[in-house]
C-alpha cells in the first residue's frame, strides 16, 4: 500500500508541477483563459462573476504557484496532509471547469497546459477525472502516509513556492520565457495563414435509406448531404485569425509586406505605462522616420480612440484595428512591440524592454 501511494504521489505531483511550470511561464495567458470562463459564468450562472475579471491575473498567479508548490509537497511529503486538503478542492474546481467547457461547448480550450499542449475539452475533463480519483485515494488513505519533516523537504517545498512566484512575476513584467504560441519569433504569418497541404474532405451523403461516402462532392442532386469530414486536419493553417483593417478596408496584406514595427495594444483604456517607457517608444518612432521601416499602431479599439491616443503623444503614424484576442495572443504586453519583415516575426518586446534605437535598427539590419 505504501509503495502504491508513493507511485500515486509521484504521478499527481509530477502532473501538477509540469502543468504549473508551463503556466508559470505565461500567467497572463492563464488570466486571459480565466476571463473567458468568468464571461461565460456571468452570462450562464450569475452576473457577479463579471467582477472576477478585474482580478483574473492575481487569481492566475495564485493558481499556477499553488500547482507547482503542492506538486512538490505531495512528492517530498512535507505537510503532505495539508497538500492533499488543498489539492482536493483545486482538482474539483478544475474538473468543474473542464466539464463545463466540454458539455456546454463554451470554452474550447481549458488552458490546462497553457499553449504548449492542446487538449480537447473532453480530453481535459477525463484527465481531471483521472487526477481526481488519484487524489481521492490519497485523501482516504492519508493516515497511512508518513510526513517528511526534514529540512530538505521544507527547503524544496518553500523553494518551489519562491521560485514559481518569482518566475511568474518576471513573466508578467516581461514576456514568457518560452513562447509556445502561433506568433512566436521566426514564424512567417503569411505562410502560417495558408494550409500546409491541400485540404482533403470526405462527404457523407444519403440516398433513400442508404449512406454513401465520397471524396468529392457528388454532382448527382439526388444525394442528400449529411456531413463533411476533414481528412488531414494537421494541414490546417497554423494561424487563422490574423486580420488588420480600418474604416477604409482590409490592410492585412500591406502590413505583412516590407519592414514594419507594430505597436500593439489590446486595450487603450487599460494601458498604464509610465512616461519613461512611452518616451522609449517615441524614440523608436523618431529613429525610423524617413527610412524603409514603417511604424504603425494596431489596436483593439475604435479609430477615434487610437487617433486620440496618437495625438496625445504626438505620434504621426498610421493606425489600424485588430481583434483583442489576436493582439493578446501575439504579445503579452499592453502595449507591445513586434518587428516584422515580409510577414516574418523578427523580434518581440514588452514595453518595459523597448530597445534603444541602435538595437532596434540592428533587428532589421544585423
Amino acid at each position: 500500500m505504501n509503495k502504491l501511494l508513493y507511485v500515486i504521489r509521484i504521478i499527481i505531483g509530477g502532473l501538477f508541477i509540469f502543468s504549473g511550470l508551463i503556466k508559470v511561464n505565461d500567467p497572463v495567458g492563464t488570466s486571459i483563459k480565466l476571463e473567458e470562463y468568468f464571461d461565460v459564468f456571468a452570462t450562464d450562472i450569475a452576473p457577479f462573476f463579471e467582477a472576477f475579471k478585474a482580478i483574473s491575473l492575481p487569481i492566475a498567479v495564485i493558481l499556477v504557484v499553488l500547482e507547482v508548490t503542492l506538486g512538490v509537497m505531495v512528492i517530498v511529503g512535507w505537510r503532505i496532509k495539508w497538500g492533499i486538503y488543498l489539492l482536493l478542492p483545486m482538482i474539483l474546481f478544475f474538473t468543474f471547469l473542464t466539464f463545463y467547457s466540454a458539455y456546454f461547448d463554451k470554452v474550447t480550450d481549458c488552458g490546462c497546459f497553457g499553449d504548449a499542449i492542446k487538449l480537447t475539452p473532453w480530453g481535459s475533463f477525463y484527465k481531471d477525472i483521472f487526477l481526481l480519483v488519484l487524489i481521492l485515494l490519497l485523501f482516504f488513505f492519508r493516515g497511512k502516509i508518513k510526513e517528511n519533516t526534514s529540512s530538505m523537504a521544507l527547503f524544496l517545498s518553500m523553494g518551489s513556492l519562491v521560485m514559481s512566484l518569482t518566475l511568474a512575476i518576471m513573466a508578467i513584467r516581461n514576456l514568457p520565457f518560452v513562447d509556445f504560441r502561433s506568433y512566436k519569433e521566426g514564424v512567417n504569418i503569411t505562410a502560417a495563414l495558408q494550409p500546409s497541404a491541400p485540404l482533403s474532405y470526405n462527404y457523407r451523403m444519403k440516398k433513400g435509406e442508404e449512406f454513401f461516402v465520397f471524396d468529392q462532392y457528388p454532382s448527382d442532386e439526388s444525394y442528400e448531404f449529411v456531413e463533411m469530414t476533414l481528412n488531414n486536419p494537421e494541414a490546417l493553417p497554423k494561424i487563422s485569425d490574423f486580420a488588420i483593417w480600418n474604416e477604409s478596408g482590409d490592410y492585412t496584406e500591406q502590413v505583412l509586406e516590407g519592414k514594419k514595427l507594430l505597436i500593439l495594444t489590446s486595450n487603450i483604456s487599460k494601458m498604464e505605462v509610465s512616461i519613461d517607457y512611452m518616451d522609449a517608444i517615441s524614440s523608436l518612432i523618431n529613429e525610423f522616420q524617413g527610412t524603409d521601416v514603417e511604424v504603425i499602431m494596431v489596436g483593439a479599439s475604435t479609430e477615434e480612440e487610437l487617433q486620440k491616443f496618437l495625438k496625445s503623444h504626438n505620434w504621426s503614424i498610421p493606425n489600424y484595428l485588430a481583434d483583442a484576442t489576436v493582439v493578446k495572443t501575439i504579445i503579452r504586453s499592453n502595449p507591445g512591440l513586434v518587428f516584422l519583415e515580409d510577414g516574418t516575426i523578427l523580434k518581440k518586446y514588452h514595453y518595459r524592454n523597448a530597445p534603444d534605437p541602435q538595437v532596434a535598427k540592428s533587428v532589421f539590419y544585423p
Side-chain angles (χ1 to χ4, degrees):
M1 176 59 74
N2 287 334
K3 289 181 179 179
L4 176 61
L5 290 175
Y6 189 69
V7 170
I8 292 173
R9 287 163 55 188
I10 294 292
I11 294 172
I12 294 171
L15 282 173
F16 269 86
I17 292 169
F18 178 68
S19 172
L21 285 176
I22 288 176
K23 287 181 281 196
V24 160
N25 172 70
D26 184 15
V28 175
T30 301
S31 74
I32 292 170
K33 187 59 59 179
L34 287 174
E35 285 184 23
E36 289 184 44
Y37 278 110
F38 294 146
D39 264 332
V40 171
F41 294 162
T43 302
D44 294 359
I45 300 176
F48 70 82
F49 280 103
E50 184 73 24
F52 287 105
K53 291 174 63 178
I55 55 171
S56 62
L57 186 55
I59 294 173
V61 171
I62 292 170
L63 285 176
V64 302
V65 170
L66 272 178
E67 278 192 76
V68 176
T69 307
L70 293 177
V72 172
M73 288 172 62
V74 166
I75 290 176
V76 302
W78 185 79
R79 300 286 186 184
I80 188 167
K81 290 184 176 62
W82 281 106
I84 295 170
Y85 294 148
L86 290 172
L87 278 176
L88 189 54
M90 181 177 285
I91 194 60
L92 286 170
F93 172 68
F94 288 154
T95 304
F96 167 73
L97 291 185
T98 53
F99 171 77
Y100 201 90
S101 298
Y103 188 80
F104 295 101
D105 195 25
K106 293 290 187 176
V107 181
T108 56
D109 174 23
C110 71
C112 304
F113 296 107
D115 292 292
I117 301 175
K118 298 291 187 180
L119 298 177
T120 64
W122 282 114
S124 301
F125 173 66
Y126 296 142
K127 179 264 298 177
D128 286 341
I129 287 293
F130 171 71
L131 282 172
L132 176 59
V133 170
L134 294 184
I135 292 171
L136 283 173
L137 285 173
L138 289 187
F139 179 78
F140 289 128
F141 293 100
R142 62 191 183 278
K144 295 183 177 295
I145 302 174
K146 186 179 179 181
E147 295 270 356
N148 185 348
T149 58
S150 70
S151 57
M152 179 56 70
L154 170 62
F155 172 77
L156 290 173
S157 299
M158 291 299 98
S160 66
L161 171 65
V162 173
M163 179 203 71
S164 54
L165 180 59
T166 302
L167 291 176
I169 293 172
M170 289 175 64
I172 292 169
R173 293 179 62 83
N174 300 279
L175 292 178
F177 303 99
V178 182
D179 195 346
F180 295 107
R181 287 159 291 156
S182 304
Y183 295 93
K184 61 187 176 183
E185 292 178 9
V187 167
N188 183 278
I189 298 175
T190 305
L193 285 167
Q194 305 299 320
S196 59
L199 299 179
S200 170
Y201 295 92
N202 278 341
Y203 301 90
R204 190 163 183 255
M205 314 294 291
K206 183 180 180 182
K207 179 187 278 191
E209 298 301 319
E210 292 187 75
F211 290 91
F212 302 86
V213 177
F214 299 92
D215 57 8
Q216 290 185 342
Y217 198 91
S219 58
D220 188 343
E221 295 183 359
S222 64
Y223 288 100
E224 179 185 350
F225 175 78
V226 178
E227 63 179 353
M228 181 173 67
T229 306
L230 179 63
N231 294 324
N232 54 342
E234 70 282 355
L236 285 169
K238 303 298 182 186
I239 294 173
S240 60
D241 50 6
F242 184 83
I244 304 293
W245 72 90
N246 64 17
E247 61 182 11
S248 300
D250 184 85
Y251 283 84
T252 304
E253 287 188 14
Q254 291 89 325
V255 169
L256 296 176
E257 294 174 350
K259 297 180 176 68
K260 299 287 192 298
L261 169 55
L262 308 184
I263 303 171
L264 295 169
T265 173
S266 57
N267 191 320
I268 285 182
S269 63
K270 292 184 178 180
M271 193 188 297
E272 299 177 359
V273 183
S274 71
I275 190 66
D276 291 338
Y277 296 126
M278 298 308 288
D279 285 346
I281 297 175
S282 296
S283 297
L284 295 179
I285 294 173
N286 294 332
E287 181 67 26
F288 288 120
Q289 289 287 343
T291 71
D292 62 341
V293 177
E294 184 180 16
V295 183
I296 64 177
M297 186 159 191
V298 178
S301 180
T302 64
E303 290 196 47
E304 291 75 19
E305 286 176 318
L306 280 175
Q307 289 164 6
K308 181 180 178 181
F309 176 85
L310 293 174
K311 185 177 181 181
S312 67
H313 289 84
N314 294 316
W315 291 355
S316 299
I317 58 175
N319 60 94
Y320 302 98
L321 306 179
D323 180 76
T325 301
V326 174
V327 174
K328 292 175 183 178
T329 303
I330 294 173
I331 193 157
R332 305 296 203 213
S333 175
N334 185 32
L337 304 173
V338 176
F339 291 72
L340 285 177
E341 183 167 9
D342 294 327
T344 297
I345 300 175
L346 302 178
K347 202 73 178 173
K348 300 198 294 188
Y349 291 95
H350 193 285
Y351 71 81
R352 295 178 183 277
N353 303 319
D356 63 52
Q358 292 306 309
V359 173
K361 286 178 65 176
S362 70
V363 174
F364 291 114
Y365 310 105

